């Protein structure tokens, strides 16, 4: 009898997997914080015999190298992936034994597309295919995006992705469980349409565009639908190819009010992890709001200049530790400093907390007609294409820091789809000295509030 345990990384929209029998197991695409994987194996009472990578990852720092060194497991990496560390190269058709007593084996299948060297792994129980770890190849209702390696390769990789998914469907039974790494909110997915939490080869055969459409139509739609990828992705593959350093989750140096002020004055980033409501009500002037419970790692790593020191402000030690763990997954290894508590302890004597108002779309619709105001939409291009407030200025959140000068004069009412990204944008505008209102509301309410919305032809 075999098991598969999922190692969730919801902030990044990813999953790692621990699979095995009674005695030994394999780990597929582990996150950088490998203590979670080790704990999962301990709960099962199994030894980790193999650690495998489906590809050199673009969206997070892999824990594979350190996990293999810690456990003595063989580290399987696609043979054509260029890496700077010793590993066991894997080629199409290679097979290893996962748990001999359980009759579990793992077979490599070359599935280029997400990357040129991408490899899926088929789990067999006594010769029967029971699951396939598809990494960034076949996802739930989608495929991994093909544009993260080199622009000149994008179309050819998209065509390879179509062929790879069809190979999986042709060679595996319909009942085979499909266990991808990406696709649960990850920007490595080519589409955000998937709503199911699990799938099989048979389900995908009936609904996945790669399996229901011819290659030309599939590639055209895939390429047309690609949105911008997070800027920090450019740093992940080189880190993973060089061999990531072990994770360090020891607490950062504590910062008092004077040091927070010094770091702000030096142009460093001071990030307030509290909920957007608390931040809007009062915060250290110049600090930026990235909610700990939002997509913290994705958006902070996307916006912060790479390598700039980051100081974290948290409500509690637990919130700080969770944020530090999440940021380490994307290579923001060591916060420069940190403080816990609330603005009362982060401000110097005599300093007042900064604040800005929050509003709904109904408030926006009901504002005085003579108010000199700007409506700023910080959603992505694909979201705006589905409808926007007429007359609004559009600057996607990930571009905002470098385009603040494009925003016309006046009070800025900033919105996104639900409020979280608007809060980040509002904090950037507030830090830049603009008068801002954060629209903390669902975009579905814009038209109901009486605002004229437009969908481009």
């Amino acid at each position: 009898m075999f098991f598969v345990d999922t190692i969730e990384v919801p902030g990044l929209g990813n999953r790692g997997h621990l699979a095995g029998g009674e005695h030994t197991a394999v780990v597929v695409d582990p996150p950088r914080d490998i203590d979670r994987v080790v704990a999962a194996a301990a709960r099962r009472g199994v030894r980790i015999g193999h650690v495998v990578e489906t590809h050199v990852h673009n969206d997070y720092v892999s824990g594979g190298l350190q996990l293999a060194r810690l456990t003595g497991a063989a580290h399987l990496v696609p043979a054509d992936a260029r890496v700077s560390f010793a590993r066991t190269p894997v080629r199409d058709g290679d097979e290893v034994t996962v748990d001999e007593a359980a009759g579990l084996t793992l077979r490599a299948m070359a599935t280029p597309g997400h990357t040129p060297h991408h490899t899926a792994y088929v789990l067999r129980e006594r010769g029967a295919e029971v699951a396939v770890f598809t990494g960034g190849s076949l996802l739930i209702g989608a495929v991994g995006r093909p544009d993260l390696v080199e622009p000149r390769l994008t179309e050819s990789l998209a065509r390879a992705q179509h062929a790879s998914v069809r190979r999986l469907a042709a060679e595996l039974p319909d009942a085979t469980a499909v266990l991808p790494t990406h696709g649960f909110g990850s920007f490595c997915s080519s589409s955000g349409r998937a709503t199911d939490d699990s799938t099989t080869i048979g389900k995908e055969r009936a609904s996945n565009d790669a399996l229901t459409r011819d290659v030309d139509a599939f590639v055209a739609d895939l390429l047309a639908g690609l949105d911008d990828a997070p800027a920090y992705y450019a740093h992940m593959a080189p880190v993973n190819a060089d061999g990531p350093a072990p994770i360090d989750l020891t607490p950062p140096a504590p910062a008092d009010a004077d040091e927070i002020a010094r770091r702000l004055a030096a142009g460093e980033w001071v990030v307030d992890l509290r909920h957007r409501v608390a931040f809007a009500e009062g915060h250290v002037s110049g600090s930026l709001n990235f909610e700990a419970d939002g997509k913290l790692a994705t958006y902070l790593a996307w916006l912060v200049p790479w390598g700039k020191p980051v100081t974290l402000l948290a409500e509690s030690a637990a919130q700080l530790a969770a944020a530090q763990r999440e940021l380490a997954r994307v290579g923001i290894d060591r916060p420069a400093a940190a403080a816990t508590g609330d603005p009362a302890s982060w401000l110097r004597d005599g300093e007042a907390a900064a604040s800005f108002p929050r509003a709904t779309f109904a408030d926006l619709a009901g504002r005085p007609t003579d108010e000199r105001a700007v409506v700023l939409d910080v959603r992505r291009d694909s979201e705006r294409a589905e409808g926007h407030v007429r007359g609004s200025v559009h600057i996607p959140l990930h571009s905002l820091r470098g385009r603040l000068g494009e925003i016309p004069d006046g009070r800025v009412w900033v919105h996104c789809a639900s409020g979280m990204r608007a809060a980040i944008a509002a904090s950037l505008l507030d830090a830049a000295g603009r008068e801002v209102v954060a629209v903390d509301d669902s975009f579905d309410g814009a038209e109901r509030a009486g605002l004229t919305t437009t969908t481009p032809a």
Side-chain angles (χ1 to χ4, degrees), residues 86-110:
R87 87 290 192 204
T88 301
V90 176
R91 294 176 173 81
D92 186 52
D94 285 354
E95 189 165 311
V96 297
T97 298
V98 175
D99 188 296
E100 186 172 4
L104 289 179
T105 60
L106 199 69
R107 178 171 64 91
M109 286 184 67

Side-chain angles (χ1 to χ4, degrees), residues 66 82 180-181 250 254 278 329 356 380:
Q66 293 307 317
R82 296 181 179 178
T181 301
T250 56
R329 293 169 180 158
F356 52 76
R380 296 188 301 277

Side-chain angles (χ1 to χ4, degrees), residues 6 8 15 17 140 178-180 183-184 194-199 203:
T6 299
E8 296 275 3
R15 291 176 174 178
H17 301 281
I140 301 177
V178 175
L179 302 171
F184 310 95
T195 56
D196 292 338
D197 191 54
S198 61
T199 193
K203 289 180 181 178

